[in-house]
Amino acid sequence: NETLEKGYLDGQAYAINQLGRKYRSTSQSSKALALHQRALQISEESDNLEFRVYALNMLGVVYRRSDAIQPALDYYQRALELAETVKDPHIGLKRGMNISLNGIGNIYKTLEQYDVAIEKFSKALIIDEEMNNKLGLAVNHFDIGECQESKGRVKEALESFRTSLAYNNQI
C-alpha cells in the first residue's frame, strides 16, 4: 500500500510478486497468477528487467505446478531470453536465468525428454558454480541424477546423487 501511495513502481512489483508467491504456496493458483501478471505489467512500466524476468519465472512456476506445461514453458523461455539479452548479467539476472533453466529442465523431465532436461540442468549448474550457489548445485545434480536413472544410467545417476548429497551436507 505504501508503494502505491508513493508511486514506487519497483517496490510495487517486488511486493506484488511476493504476495503471488504466498498465494502459490497455499495452492491459490488463480490469485497467484493474477498477482504475478500485475507485477509483470508494473515491471514493464518501470522498465525493470530483473523484475520482469522474476515475474515471468514466477508465472512459469505457477503454471508448471498446475501441470499447464505449454504456458509454463513459454514463460520460462521468455524469462530466459530476456535475461540473456544482458551481456554481463549481475547476480539477480543470473538467479533468474537459473530459475528458468531449472524450470525448463523439470518440464522436459516430466515429458520424459531426459537428454534435453539434462542439458538445461547442466547449463544451470554452470551458473550455480559461478555464484557458488550450493543449494542450486544440490538441486540440479539431483535432477540430473533422476534423469540419468530414468535412462537406465544407474552408475552416473548414483554419482549425481552423491554429488547432490555432498552439497546438501555442506549446506
Side-chain angles (χ1 to χ4, degrees):
N1 288 334
E2 217 172 294
T3 62
L4 280 169
E5 288 172 19
K6 295 182 179 183
Y8 179 42
L9 295 177
D10 287 345
Q12 289 174 40
Y14 176 82
I16 292 169
N17 267 321
Q18 295 311 307
L19 286 171
R21 287 182 63 209
K22 292 291 183 189
Y23 281 112
R24 182 189 77 215
S25 70
T26 58
S27 300
Q28 297 180 61
S29 297
S30 60
K31 288 181 182 179
L33 288 171
L35 288 164
H36 291 309
Q37 281 287 359
R38 181 68 186 128
L40 177 60
Q41 292 169 346
I42 292 168
S43 63
E44 289 170 345
E45 190 178 327
S46 71
D47 197 27
N48 187 314
L49 183 68
E50 185 175 340
F51 285 157
R52 283 176 63 196
V53 168
Y54 187 79
L56 289 166
N57 275 327
M58 291 303 100
L59 286 162
V61 170
V62 175
Y63 278 115
R64 183 171 62 85
R65 290 186 181 177
S66 303
D67 292 326
I69 300 297
Q70 191 59 55
L73 188 58
D74 291 344
Y75 280 112
Y76 283 133
Q77 194 61 44
R78 281 177 57 195
L80 181 60
E81 289 170 1
L82 192 59
E84 288 176 336
T85 63
V86 176
K87 185 177 179 179
D88 188 23
H90 55 78
I91 194 162
L93 283 178
K94 285 183 180 182
R95 283 187 186 127
M97 290 168 21
N98 202 305
I99 291 167
S100 300
L101 288 165
N102 182 271
I104 293 168
N106 273 297
I107 289 170
Y108 282 108
K109 183 171 69 168
T110 298
L111 297 173
E112 299 180 1
Q113 295 183 24
Y114 301 115
D115 290 330
V116 178
I118 289 170
E119 175 192 331
K120 301 302 179 185
F121 294 136
S122 295
K123 286 182 179 180
L125 279 176
I126 293 167
I127 297 169
D128 286 326
E129 288 170 1
E130 289 173 10
M131 295 188 304
N132 195 29
N133 177 7
K134 291 182 182 181
L135 179 58
L137 288 162
V139 167
N140 284 300
H141 278 290
F142 183 84
D143 287 333
I144 289 170
E146 285 189 325
C147 292
Q148 291 165 328
E149 183 179 28
S150 295
K151 289 185 57 110
R153 294 169 22 201
V154 179
K155 287 183 182 179
E156 290 176 54
L158 188 55
E159 184 59 34
S160 293
F161 292 141
R162 284 185 178 131
T163 302
S164 175
L165 179 60
Y167 283 114
N168 275 308
N169 285 336
Q170 287 179 31
I171 295 167

